[in-house]
Amino acid sequence: MRRRPIRSGPGPARAERLRPAPRGRRARLLAAALALVLTAGAAAGEFTARQLIRSRIARAAPALGDTLTIRTGDGSALWDLANRRIPRLDVSSEDARLGPLPQAAVRARLDDVRLGGTTAVARTHAEVTVPARSLGTAVRTAAGSMPVGQVRTDPAAGTVEVALGQGGFGRLTLRPVIADGKVSLTVSNLTVLGRSVPPDDLGKAVPGPADGRPYPLGLRAGSVQVLPDGLRVVLDGGPGTLSGPDGGWTPAPDPGATP
């Protein structure tokens, strides 16, 4: 009698292990791998596009600082760069400089940015928050060798109070004002050892910080508000172009102006 060959383990299970993977499964794995590669490539391209846009804005507005970040609205930076047009560009920074005021937080929006040999911008809007410590830095720079102590804001009065000298023997009251589209701090009152300094001598005592350089991106201050912890400045700008290696700003001609 012929004996059947002895097999180890259940036959059907062994046959299943040796059977190649179904075609449908291999196709799904291949599609998933291809999608992963394409996604990684698109992410790298998007990152590169954002870096190129950020670099152009940084050159145009170095006062925005090192923490500058950009976001192209709800669209793709890669697509916008390929089309040389960004419908909306959101810009933010935590270490910007507003004239003589350092370490300001900026939230800005640029509308209808068109890229090319020059970069054209239809409108700009920004909100800037200047902390009290930045106000103190600006006053110290303006005061020279005069020791500057605590800086406090008075939102109700719309002023900034600064202690001067060793032990705070002087008290300086500053008022933020807007002149020619820029914010400055003017001296409204100064007392030394409890005695008020005559108004004619206020400008000589401790000059208010000033800076003749224009704000970046054609921005001009429209309002300034004293907050419990600093200042809030709102700025707007009309159409213009960025050009040259230093990103100089050229406002667009006024269509209503007489030639």
Side-chain angles (χ1 to χ4, degrees), residues 28 39 65 69 107 125 136 171 215 219 221 224 237:
R28 289 195 298 270
T39 301
T69 60
R107 301 291 180 270
H125 175 80
R171 181 69 57 180
Y215 292 157
L219 288 166
V224 57

Side-chain angles (χ1 to χ4, degrees), residues 9 13 21 58 63 115 142 177 188 192 194 226 237-238 249 257 259:
L115 307 173
V177 297
S188 61
V192 178
V226 179
W249 176 265

